[in-house]
Amino acid sequence: MTDPHAARAEGQVSLTLRLMCRDMAEMMAVLDHAPAHVEASRAEPGCLQFDLRQTDEPLVFDIAERFADIEAYRLHQARTRASDWGKATASIARAQYDRRGVTD
């Protein structure tokens, strides 16, 4: 997985985080919804990178994102919250959240 922060140019937004599933049910929610979420995210205008991978620890997933600008990032966030992915994974803990290129 390419480091989106290293690839980020002026005006772009990059983000890395870990999804920390508590149990197999949460892991299966991620696995069930990930293909459609990744495909939809990569198809969004302004999405330059969107990677989601399961780590060697099966209940942990790494996500790396990069967007052309703050508007593309905010549109992605809004779509994600309203999506099946957003609803299915809302209660899964996020850790090691590192967002760059956003000042607020």
Side-chain angles (χ1 to χ4, degrees), residues 4-5 13-17 63-65 73 77 97-99:
H5 304 306
V13 175
S14 59
L15 171 76
T16 56
L17 66 100
I63 298 177
E65 308 175 10
Y73 171 73
Q77 292 296 307
Y97 189 85
D98 184 2
R99 183 178 68 178

Side-chain angles (χ1 to χ4, degrees), residues 32-44:
D32 289 346
H33 291 88
H37 179 57
V38 170
E39 181 179 348
S41 296
R42 289 178 178 168
E44 292 171 347

Side-chain angles (χ1 to χ4, degrees), residues 25-97:
E26 286 188 348
M27 181 191 81
M28 291 309 298
V30 172
L31 292 173
D32 289 346
H33 291 88
H37 179 57
V38 170
E39 181 179 348
S41 296
R42 289 178 178 168
E44 292 171 347
C47 180
L48 304 173
Q49 176 184 352
F50 193 92
D51 299 316
L52 186 154
R53 74 169 183 86
Q54 193 170 23
T55 68
D56 291 338
E57 190 175 330
L59 298 179
V60 178
F61 294 81
D62 286 333
I63 298 177
E65 308 175 10
R66 188 166 51 94
F67 296 91
D69 53 35
I70 190 67
E71 181 179 332
Y73 171 73
R74 293 203 192 289
L75 289 171
H76 168 74
Q77 292 296 307
R79 184 201 59 80
T80 296
R81 280 191 293 278
S83 71
D84 289 341
W85 162 269
K87 294 170 190 154
T89 65
S91 65
I92 298 175
R94 270 74 171 162
Q96 299 177 18
Y97 189 85

